[in-house]
Amino acid sequence: MSNIPFQIQNFEQYQQYYSQSVEDPEGFWADIASNFYWRKPWKKTLQWNFTEPDVKWFVGGKLNITENALDRHLAERGDQTAIIWEPNDPNDDAVHITYRQLHQRVCRFANVLKKYGVVKGDRVCIYLPMVPELAVAVLACARIGAVHSVVFGGFSAQSIADRINDAQCKVVVTSDGAYRGAKEIPMKAVVDDALVICPSVETVLVMSRTRTPVSMIKGRDRWLEQEEKYVTAECPAEEMDAEDMLFILYTSGSTGKPKGVVHTVGGYMVYASYTFANVFQYQPGEIHFCTADIGWITGHSYIVYGPLCCGATSVIFEGVPTYPDAGRLWDITDRHRINILYTAPTAIRSLMGFGLQYVEGKDLSSLTKLGSVGEPINEEAWHWFKTNIGKDKCPLVDTWWQTENGGIMISPLAGITPEKPSYATLPLPGVQPVLVDENGNEIEGNGVSGNLCIKFPWPGILRTTYGDHERCRQTYFSTYPGKYFTGDGCLRDEEGYYRITGRVDDVLNVSGHRIGTAEVENAINMHLGVVESAVVGYPHDIKGQGIYAYIITEEPLNDADLTRKDILATVSRIIGPIAKPDKIQFVAGLPKTRSGKIMRRILRKIAEGDTSNLGDTSTLLDPGVVDEIKAGAL
Ligand code: 6R9
């Protein structure tokens, strides 16, 4: 029997269990993990080093995460709603799926995957809109031990192909099309374009959503509805090792192509569920609405796995916050009596701009807790959300974490930890943050800032980057040997509260989406006539950060505006519309040092509109280019 309770009740307990989790991490996590259903107990709780790195939790334990997310709820709450699906069009009926129904749908889907030869360890790419089938497909993979790789619906054919090829996916799950706000978007056609260069894919399962005409290739493409008719709703769960791969999720870094972050079954399950229950102080029967897309880690952990493992009711919303108008999230909250609302600062800032008339008349009294994730939340947005949506009675948790973390790392516990606008506040039990200076020395004490590292493993930490362990080591464990480096800058105030100040590497955060500057530059450089480019971020009122591109072309442009649009089309085609620069400035040269390195610091300043103090430019090869760029700044 465990000594440490699964859910923290008050601040004294938080302090007590936090200390215990640091003094005896293995004992702490063993107690927490004992709240789950394991087919076989683990032999060793933790085995680790941050040099290779090699991290294993619950070594030798056997389980299946879907038995925890579905089967174990059937006896007690089989008829409780597991998923509420809110379609894009508010005039269409919402769909309620009980745990029992979800279990059956997952088993059916799993049997279809099996029929097409998918076995434990095979990779399945999922490219779907926010429909119940997305959660079903994810869980169906987990049921049979296949590794899911969900690709966000906004990515281009090229991005899908890169991800499919990197993971050598055998099956792709997609839909004919998608509804997003007033738009109807092709999905299958995009997958078709990708598959031209993806020889590993044997089968494409297509769900019908928009019934837009699609090409269906004999022997490869199958209609999902059709396939589901011929399989049963019984599918025993595959026995998985705690350290077997659960999923791959691609995310951007400061160099090259996106990396496939790998999470494993046991540790991820424990961490996503523990953080869900504690940060949101989930109470049985509460309805949880996370507005993220399942294509991102937030959706994986706090729409699918965390809530379902805790037996919660989780909302899947197909549309966008501004359709049919800027009151949509409040309308959903009102109609479905939402208790927990977890969203992103960019959405709050955008809705704030539309004015309070969209909030008025909406009954938001069901709300008990609010959350924010994805990027730093500015004080204005924090207060607006807290006051106008939470009516000053709901705790608001600013949750800091990353794809690589599996779950929330630094955050208040709702209603327990004192809040401080724009602060993620305190680390969760099991999380040991440290701030380091440029030389890698730990900065002790309070009232300090530095680069944020974590010095001890937690169960949700990434295990590797798919197919390239060395890249994982390089990216996260080599900058500060012995520590996991987050890539974020951070301040620890006089009281020891943490405030994340943003990335210190070349990763942008645009509307909460992570985009590497190098990735955008590579896409721009593919455009005909582009010689070189440099991409930086600049502060953007709604998106948090905007993308500013400086571009050198081979020849003077006849029609700069048209070329700008052409380049945007190329970026959309190579990465996806989310990576399109907000501003493009054509320049004759870039500020380079004598060794040929672009001085991004200068470009960032100019993009920010702060040209008064550009610092030392004496090491530049040609300081003259700076004046020219300044003169043409947008
Ligand atoms: C969960 C998620 C991770 C990056 C991270 C940081 C930024 C996320 C934040 C935050 C300040 C918060 N970030 N939450 N910055 N306050 N509450 O967003 O994962 O897409 O991998 O992004 O997002 O810069 O390093 P991911």
Side-chain angles (χ1 to χ4, degrees):
M1 219 18 228
S2 76
N3 301 315
I4 297 184
F6 195 67
Q7 205 175 39
I8 294 166
Q9 310 284 343
N10 54 51
F11 197 60
E12 291 66 45
Q13 281 186 2
Y14 162 74
Q15 289 172 315
Q16 181 194 337
Y17 299 136
Y18 184 81
S19 303
Q20 274 178 258
S21 78
V22 173
E23 283 152 23
D24 176 20
E26 295 193 39
F28 176 84
W29 287 112
D31 277 3
I32 298 303
S34 69
N35 290 280
F36 296 83
Y37 171 62
W38 297 79
R39 294 246 190 116
K40 286 198 192 102
W42 57 93
K43 297 191 177 77
K44 193 167 179 351
T45 306
L46 170 65
Q47 174 185 318
W48 74 287
N49 73 69
F50 273 177
T51 355
E52 291 173 53
D54 175 32
V55 180
K56 292 189 175 74
W57 281 94
F58 313 114
V59 183
K62 304 281 180 193
L63 76 161
N64 186 292
I65 195 168
T66 68
E67 289 187 329
N68 284 278
L70 302 170
D71 303 59
R72 76 168 166 152
H73 301 313
L74 294 183
E76 211 184 309
R77 54 174 80 88
D79 297 322
Q80 181 201 306
T81 302
I83 287 174
I84 298 176
W85 179 57
E86 168 77 12
N88 181 61
D89 185 340
N91 298 313
D92 290 350
D93 288 336
V95 175
H96 290 243
I97 304 169
T98 66
Y99 271 95
R100 198 178 319 283
Q101 290 165 335
L102 185 60
H103 181 265
Q104 285 169 358
R105 287 178 69 165
V106 167
C107 287
R108 239 177 231 289
F109 200 115
N111 283 332
V112 175
L113 291 173
K114 281 209 268 192
K115 180 175 165 199
Y116 289 100
V118 179
V119 297
K120 178 175 169 176
D122 283 345
R123 277 80 54 211
V124 173
C125 172
I126 304 175
Y127 185 71
L128 279 174
M130 283 286 281
V131 290
E133 282 75 5
L134 175 46
V136 170
V138 161
L139 293 165
C141 289
R143 186 86 180 163
I144 61 172
V147 177
H148 54 79
S149 166
V150 183
V151 177
F152 173 62
F155 279 117
S156 67
Q158 180 69 52
S159 296
I160 300 169
D162 289 344
R163 286 157 173 76
I164 289 175
N165 288 336
D166 186 71
Q168 290 292 294
C169 296
K170 193 172 190 176
V171 169
V172 179
V173 182
T174 190
S175 66
D176 43 7
Y179 297 118
R180 246 181 107 70
K183 287 187 234 152
E184 194 181 314
I185 301 165
M187 301 289 279
K188 173 66 163 62
V190 178
V191 168
D192 287 338
D193 284 347
L195 293 191
V196 173
I197 50 167
C198 298
S200 65
V201 174
E202 293 167 12
T203 304
V204 182
L205 297 169
V206 186
M207 176 226 162
S208 163
R209 174 66 185 116
T210 55
R211 207 50 195 98
T212 179
V214 287
S215 126
M216 294 290 287
I217 302 299
K218 198 184 292 168
R220 186 193 74 181
D221 301 350
R222 319 267 168 183
W223 287 109
L224 186 62
E225 288 86 338
Q226 203 63 24
E227 295 301 323
E228 286 185 327
K229 282 186 198 153
Y230 303 113
V231 293
T232 68
E234 262 135 71
C235 175
E238 184 80 27
E239 184 166 288
M240 303 292 283
D241 191 273
E243 284 298 337
D244 278 337
M245 236 183 266
L246 175 63
F247 66 85
I248 306 171
L249 189 56
Y250 287 84
T251 191
S252 295
S254 49
T255 53
K257 291 204 162 166
K259 304 175 278 282
V261 168
V262 170
H263 285 288
T264 56
V265 181
Y268 174 82
M269 172 186 76
V270 170
Y271 199 69
S273 311
Y274 180 73
T275 51
F276 173 73
N278 281 282
V279 170
F280 300 105
Q281 286 292 299
Y282 167 72
Q283 304 301 319
E286 281 190 324
I287 300 173
H288 173 76
F289 178 22
C290 166
T291 68
D293 192 288
I294 295 175
W296 308 113
I297 191 68
T298 304
H300 279 59
S301 299
Y302 301 111
I303 296 177
V304 184
Y305 288 114
L308 296 180
C309 286
C310 291
T313 299
S314 183
V315 176
I316 296 181
F317 172 40
E318 185 183 35
V320 294
T322 48
Y323 179 80
D325 63 38
R328 187 65 189 275
L329 297 186
W330 326 133
D331 174 51
I332 295 173
T333 302
D334 183 341
R335 272 188 300 117
H336 296 300
R337 309 304 299 150
I338 303 295
N339 303 115
I340 309 171
L341 178 61
Y342 189 30
T343 189
T346 186
I348 299 168
R349 286 191 298 263
S350 142
L351 299 178
M352 223 167 90
F354 285 91
L356 282 174
Q357 66 268 34
Y358 292 100
V359 184
E360 281 155 17
K362 304 282 160 62
D363 179 0
L364 305 181
S365 61
S366 57
L367 287 172
T368 56
K369 280 144 301 199
L370 303 177
S372 167
V373 61
E375 43 172 331
I377 181 165
N378 49 309
E379 290 203 27
E380 194 191 356
W382 194 97
H383 285 293
W384 188 89
F385 196 33
K386 177 99 177 167
T387 303
N388 297 298
I389 306 306
K391 313 292 180 196
D392 285 319
K393 71 171 174 62
C394 298
L396 166 50
V397 293
D398 176 2
T399 65
W400 172 83
W401 61 296
Q402 315 174 290
T403 304
E404 295 86 344
N405 305 154
I408 297 166
M409 299 286 281
I410 303 182
S411 167
L413 306 182
I416 289 179
T417 312
E419 289 168 5
K420 196 164 184 171
S422 83
Y423 277 74
T425 73
L426 299 173
L428 263 64
V431 175
Q432 301 187 34
V434 286
L435 302 185
V436 295
D437 63 21
E438 302 88 80
N439 305 320
N441 299 316
E442 251 181 77
I443 309 170
E444 312 259 344
N446 288 341
V448 293
S449 28
N451 288 346
L452 178 62
C453 293
I454 315 288
K455 68 173 179 189
F456 196 86
W458 61 100
I461 189 173
L462 86 161
R463 301 303 196 261
T464 189
T465 46
Y466 192 81
D468 193 351
H469 194 62
E470 172 56 17
R471 194 166 174 207
C472 172
R473 192 191 64 77
Q474 275 274 339
T475 311
Y476 307 106
F477 299 92
S478 71
T479 318
Y480 304 109
K483 298 181 180 73
Y484 165 84
F485 176 41
T486 64
D488 280 311
C490 181
L491 178 152
R492 185 166 55 219
D493 74 2
E494 296 298 342
E495 294 160 279
Y497 279 46
Y498 291 84
R499 176 175 199 249
I500 314 302
T501 47
R503 303 287 303 199
V504 295
D505 53 10
D506 291 317
V507 173
L508 306 179
N509 196 323
V510 182
S511 300
H513 303 323
R514 252 169 92 165
I515 301 167
T517 53
E519 242 179 296
V520 183
E521 287 165 5
N522 289 343
I524 293 171
N525 296 348
M526 286 176 77
H527 192 81
L528 181 72
V530 170
V531 177
E532 200 182 0
S533 63
V535 165
V536 297
Y538 69 96
H540 187 287
D541 286 347
I542 291 178
K543 299 177 173 186
Q545 267 187 317
I547 303 179
Y548 195 120
Y550 300 88
I551 300 176
I552 306 174
T553 54
E554 266 167 28
E555 286 166 28
L557 301 168
N558 293 326
D559 186 340
D561 200 45
L562 186 58
T563 307
R564 220 172 253 129
K565 287 179 185 151
D566 288 344
I567 292 173
L568 293 181
T570 297
V571 174
S572 273
R573 181 155 281 270
I574 302 301
I575 306 175
I578 56 171
K580 283 197 290 193
D582 300 272
K583 293 182 180 179
I584 290 179
Q585 180 182 352
F586 293 108
V587 296
L590 291 166
K592 287 193 179 170
T593 62
R594 288 189 189 89
S595 60
K597 272 189 83 165
I598 296 173
M599 268 185 134
R600 288 170 185 279
R601 176 175 59 77
I602 293 174
L603 295 176
R604 259 184 237 122
K605 284 256 175 198
I606 295 174
E608 283 165 20
D610 173 13
T611 53
S612 56
N613 176 23
L614 293 180
D616 182 14
T617 55
S618 63
T619 58
L620 287 178
L621 193 59
D622 173 12
V625 297
V626 175
D627 292 323
E628 187 229 302
I629 296 176
K630 258 162 63 174
L634 301 168

